Amino acid sequence: MTNIIVAFPKQDNARNIKKILMQNGHHVDAVCSTGAQVLQSAGELGGGIVVCGYRFVDMMYTELHEYLPVQFEMLLVASPANCGNRDVENLVCLATPLKVNELLDTVEMMEYTITRRRKKLKQIPKERTKEEQEMINEAKALLMERNNLSEEEAHRYIQKRSMDNGTGLTETAQMILSLLV
């Protein structure tokens, strides 16, 4: 489920958007009336969508977009004049007057995009530090020496233990070293 923050300077607007989203199965994590509140809420959440207006008491949407964590996308709800040609990454604009189905379709599209991005990031293998790689190599060498295993067999052993225990390769190598040394 994607985190959603609704932010408008007028509380009535924010409550109405929240009500529409929640009636249609979306969970709204925060309702804010200033940019500072949005940034505070965004800092506590891991990522998501900010549905907001054009101008706040303390900042414009451009500043808010600039300061938002990169894991957040912004859905700007503004007049057609303020929606103009926006060539900004992670920013989608809906012109007022707002149609409920357009809001819902856009939020669902943004959720789909966020989900796809998360899946892609999970598929990218994590780079190991030099120390981590040395620890894995040391554990393999120890297994090869003590158990007469080839390097490939030692690596497979560490992988299997890692998967069985639900730990990372580095943590498993560290456990092997602490137990066998």
Side-chain angles (χ1 to χ4, degrees):
M1 182 178 291
T2 304
N3 299 315
I4 298 177
I5 299 172
V6 177
F8 288 89
K10 294 182 181 174
Q11 282 293 319
D12 288 342
N13 292 346
R15 277 193 289 270
N16 290 336
I17 298 284
K18 177 184 178 180
K19 183 178 175 185
I20 291 168
L21 291 171
M22 293 192 69
Q23 285 176 342
N24 288 279
H26 298 281
H27 176 73
V28 176
D29 293 280
V31 176
C32 305
S33 59
T34 67
Q37 291 172 340
V38 173
L39 294 173
Q40 181 179 1
S41 295
E44 295 167 2
L45 302 169
I49 300 170
V50 174
V51 181
C52 69
Y54 183 77
R55 179 188 326 233
F56 297 95
V57 177
D58 55 350
M59 65 181 74
M60 297 289 290
Y61 83 95
T62 51
E63 292 174 275
L64 178 60
H65 183 268
E66 184 180 327
Y67 297 128
L68 269 178
V70 293
Q71 303 89 344
F72 275 89
E73 291 194 16
M74 181 181 280
L75 173 55
L76 175 64
V77 178
S79 68
N82 290 331
C83 273
N85 289 335
R86 305 268 177 249
D87 239 5
V88 181
E89 193 176 325
N90 300 333
L91 176 75
V92 177
C93 191
L94 277 178
T96 53
L98 190 61
K99 295 180 180 89
V100 173
N101 64 331
E102 285 181 1
L103 172 67
L104 296 172
D105 289 345
T106 304
V107 168
E108 286 173 19
M109 175 200 68
M110 293 173 80
E111 285 180 329
Y112 177 74
T113 303
I114 290 169
T115 303
R116 281 191 52 210
R117 188 180 319 129
R118 283 183 188 152
K119 284 182 181 176
K120 279 185 179 179
L121 286 174
K122 284 182 180 178
Q123 291 175 349
I124 298 172
K126 187 183 127 200
E127 288 287 322
R128 289 192 178 86
T129 64
K130 186 177 177 183
E131 292 81 21
E132 291 173 331
Q133 190 59 50
E134 285 174 6
M135 188 181 305
I136 291 169
N137 291 339
E138 200 176 317
K140 278 197 281 189
L142 190 60
L143 288 169
M144 290 165 54
E145 179 186 321
R146 292 222 177 149
N147 300 341
N148 258 353
L149 300 176
S150 68
E151 182 178 1
E152 188 178 320
E153 291 169 329
H155 186 76
R156 268 191 273 147
Y157 177 85
I158 296 171
Q159 273 185 323
K160 174 122 176 60
R161 291 292 154 255
S162 172
M163 288 169 37
D164 290 346
N165 296 331
T167 59
L169 227 55
T170 308
E171 190 177 344
T172 303
Q174 191 175 24
M175 285 190 282
I176 289 170
L177 289 171
S178 66
L179 292 172
L180 295 181
V181 173

